[in-house]
Amino acid sequence: MSSNDDTIDTLNDLIETTKDGEYGFRACAEQAKSPELKQLLADRAAQCAEGAGELQSIVSSLGGKAEDSGTASGAMHRGWVSVRSTLSSFTDLAVLEECERGEDKALARYRSALEQPLPPEVRSIVERQSRGVQANHDLIRDRRNSLRAAA
């Protein structure tokens, strides 16, 4: 497999991850009670969609076929969020806990991608996006901690 193919595979993994984030944030926004939290999560979903689009462009420019959906495990997680919300009252705290769980997985996948040999221009984009995932994670964690403290 060529270095280009390896880079495309790594980027396609990240596209799936960002699509999982987009869909996950959107699903959680639908469950959130607070209008402010709904908006925050919708904004995070849009940010993930932008990140996926950026990675898809790079894959195309490298001559590859870009992924356009999330992972099977991400779909299962979203399904679980939906089922759980129908079985119990889904509080904003629970929504944030689910978002943080998703961001933990995204962080792990970005860290793994950064362990791969990537061309410098691609690495800089993946590093920037990784910092964005970390910022999302920290924002969600801090919101979750605030709700826990208030309870």
Side-chain angles (χ1 to χ4, degrees):
M1 187 179 283
S2 75
S3 170
N4 212 31
D5 289 343
D6 290 341
T7 299
I8 289 168
D9 287 346
T10 298
L11 293 175
N12 273 328
D13 285 345
L14 292 179
I15 291 167
E16 289 178 337
T17 298
T18 57
K19 296 304 273 181
D20 283 348
E22 175 190 355
Y23 302 147
F25 278 127
R26 190 173 297 127
C28 286
E30 291 171 6
Q31 302 303 324
K33 308 282 188 269
S34 157
E36 178 189 357
L37 183 56
K38 281 182 179 292
Q39 186 60 55
L40 173 76
L41 298 175
D43 291 347
R44 298 305 79 168
Q47 182 183 41
C48 289
E50 288 176 21
E54 182 176 33
L55 296 174
Q56 288 166 326
S57 292
I58 296 168
V59 168
S60 293
S61 74
L62 294 172
K65 180 182 180 322
E67 289 292 330
D68 61 1
S69 64
T71 63
S73 65
M76 288 177 19
H77 175 75
R78 290 186 301 279
W80 182 86
V81 168
S82 179
V83 167
R84 183 173 169 192
S85 71
T86 62
L87 298 177
S88 65
S89 63
F90 210 68
T91 65
D92 283 350
L93 176 59
V95 167
L96 289 168
E97 288 169 343
E98 290 307 313
C99 288
E100 185 179 15
R101 191 178 345 269
E103 289 304 281
D104 286 342
K105 290 178 183 176
L107 279 172
R109 293 196 65 189
Y110 268 88
R111 287 179 183 138
S112 176
L114 288 168
E115 292 174 2
Q116 304 305 311
L118 298 170
E121 63 280 0
V122 172
R123 176 169 296 284
S124 68
I125 292 168
V126 172
E127 286 172 344
R128 178 178 44 77
Q129 286 194 3
S130 179
R131 288 189 300 272
V133 172
Q134 183 69 57
N136 277 344
H137 176 275
D138 294 350
L139 176 66
I140 296 300
R141 181 203 59 218
D142 293 348
R143 288 289 180 105
R144 183 213 59 210
N145 288 345
S146 293
L147 283 180
R148 280 186 182 166

